[in-house]
Amino acid sequence: MSRVTRLDEARRAYVLGTIKASSVSKDRADQARHYRLRAEELRVIAEEVLLRETSRTLLSLADSYEQMAGMVENGFTRNLAAGGGDADSA
């Protein structure tokens, strides 16, 4: 029962404005928080899933969200969006 409560809390926080569902603020801290909240929600769902492969997939997605949060915090996504790197010079 506690797992369902954790999932409900994650969803409630998302809906109540901890993270706005309609649009994510362009502020990097808000984006990172959004990705981390989604990662936590996926981990909670993974605990509920009976199929091991599905659980692993959800946990992998959660890890990806955590990585995106770190990239946003470190400004990597801004550099990629700006066209940085050697690809533009070719």
Side-chain angles (χ1 to χ4, degrees):
M1 188 78 175
S2 64
R3 292 181 194 157
V4 173
T5 302
R6 286 179 52 208
L7 179 57
D8 288 341
E9 288 173 4
R11 287 183 177 153
R12 193 173 308 118
Y14 186 83
V15 171
L16 291 177
T18 301
I19 300 299
K20 292 180 175 72
S22 60
S23 66
V24 177
S25 171
K26 294 202 184 280
D27 181 54
R28 289 189 294 178
D30 286 345
Q31 281 185 318
R33 195 174 313 116
H34 169 77
Y35 292 142
R36 287 204 168 92
L37 185 62
R38 296 301 260 167
E40 177 60 22
E41 186 174 19
L42 286 169
R43 287 187 187 102
V44 170
I45 294 169
E47 290 177 7
E48 298 290 325
V49 173
L50 297 177
L51 296 173
R52 195 176 301 170
E53 185 62 31
T54 302
S55 180
R56 277 187 280 218
T57 300
L58 291 169
L59 292 173
S60 176
L61 288 169
D63 289 343
S64 294
Y65 270 107
E66 287 290 343
Q67 288 176 352
M68 288 190 313
M71 290 175 67
V72 167
E73 288 174 339
N74 294 321
F76 291 126
T77 55
R78 184 174 4 153
N79 291 340
L80 291 173
D86 294 339
D88 290 338
S89 62

